Amino acid sequence: MSSDIATPLINQPVNTTYVKQGSGGTPILLIHGFDSSVLEFRRLLPLLSRDNEMWVSKWAQIIITGS
């Protein structure tokens, strides 16, 4: 999925891509490290999403570059 997210770092929303799986349980946000990607969680995400609402996004890109 893709969505615009507001951030105080710049004056316009930032378009980012994210993955959401599962529902109910505890909402959990997975944040990958620098020089990494959402693919780091490709095996973990299906396991955790059985009982939880899981989100993975490009947050590091937003925080570091503002885009």
Side-chain angles (χ1 to χ4, degrees):
M1 300 178 119
S2 183
S3 181
D4 288 339
I5 297 175
T7 174
L9 299 175
I10 58 174
N11 294 330
Q12 60 189 17
V14 175
N15 187 275
T16 190
T17 303
Y18 64 92
V19 175
K20 178 186 178 289
Q21 285 189 11
S23 62
T26 303
I28 300 172
L29 172 63
L30 298 177
I31 303 173
H32 60 80
F34 183 73
D35 196 30
S36 184
S37 75
V38 172
L39 289 174
E40 296 292 326
F41 303 114
R42 68 184 176 275
R43 292 187 179 103
L44 183 60
L45 193 59
L47 299 174
L48 292 174
S49 66
R50 291 179 189 161
D51 299 315
N52 302 288
E53 179 179 338
M54 301 301 303
W55 295 82
V56 183
S57 186
K58 291 179 157 185
W59 289 104
Q61 178 183 0
I62 294 171
I63 293 167
I64 294 170
T65 66
S67 61

